[in-house]
Amino acid sequence: MLRQQQRLVEQLRTAGIQDQRVLAVMGQVPRHQFVDEALANRAYEASALPIGYGQTISHPYTVACMTAALLENQSHAPARLRVLEIGTGSGFQTAVLAALVARVYSIERLALLATRAAQRLQQLKLRNVRLQHGDGNHGWPDYAPFDGIVVTAAAKGIPRPLAQQLTIGGCMVTPLDTGQEQVLIRLTRTTAEEFCHELLGPATFVPLLSGVAFGVSP
Ligand code: SAH
């Protein structure tokens, strides 16, 4: 493990990440390969970084925290889980999930980011990932239901199709924009019709937008 990466894992542990599986993967996935070369020397800093088109690679603590929250209440071992991610972005969160769970499905609305993430994930030979250029508000009905859903952009409300694509017992970790602030929540589907939610803490995400984009502007 790179010394800087090892230091980052220690920072995550100090900040409260306790899940050993998540810490191990944060020490393995090469974050420097998910940012532009000019920023590679800052890849193991505890910060979000720009990835172009007004978007960011999430803060490493955010990735670790969301991943741990997703795995925590599952009734199956991580290696048996199927997870949907909305907002592939750089592909880093996708790679972290792919190292832990059976299959990852990830949707990105910006074509250029989706293409770049696909190249990076291919280089890392992660074969349990399926990517789509599309609008994540609709989820991915072809592969539903999912044991876990991670949303990496903040919506004003939880898109109904996403909640409906959870397995019973499955959970979604998502930021929500209340108008005043953003909060991170975990929504668990307890029965076919019932959901419960827990507040995980404050959040800072780019907005969840609608539709897809092909050009350079979101
Ligand atoms: N997990 C990513 C986060 C990237 S930022 C990373 O760490 O790199 C959030 C991403 O969500 C952006 O790339 C943005 O384009 C994407 N996004 C926003 N709204 C979306 C939508 N409706 N469907 C799919 N992706 C969306």
Side-chain angles (χ1 to χ4, degrees), residues 101-115:
V101 307
R103 291 204 74 87
V104 184
Y105 302 85
S106 186
I107 306 176
E108 170 57 53
R109 66 179 288 280
L110 287 173
L112 294 167
L113 287 182
T115 306

Side-chain angles (χ1 to χ4, degrees), residues 51 55-58 63 85-93 107-110 113 134-137 152-153 206-210:
I51 54 172
Q55 309 304 317
T56 50
I57 178 171
S58 299
V63 173
E85 177 189 35
I86 307 302
T88 318
S90 66
F92 179 69
Q93 167 83 78
I107 306 176
E108 170 57 53
R109 66 179 288 280
L110 287 173
L113 287 182
D135 180 354
N137 283 291
T152 70
V206 295
L208 185 76
L209 301 175
S210 293

Side-chain angles (χ1 to χ4, degrees), residues 194-205:
E194 289 168 305
F195 296 85
C196 70
H197 75 273
E198 300 149 89
L199 189 62
L200 303 178
T204 315
F205 286 84

Side-chain angles (χ1 to χ4, degrees), residues 5 14 132 146:
Q5 193 169 11
T14 308
Q132 184 200 135
F146 303 98

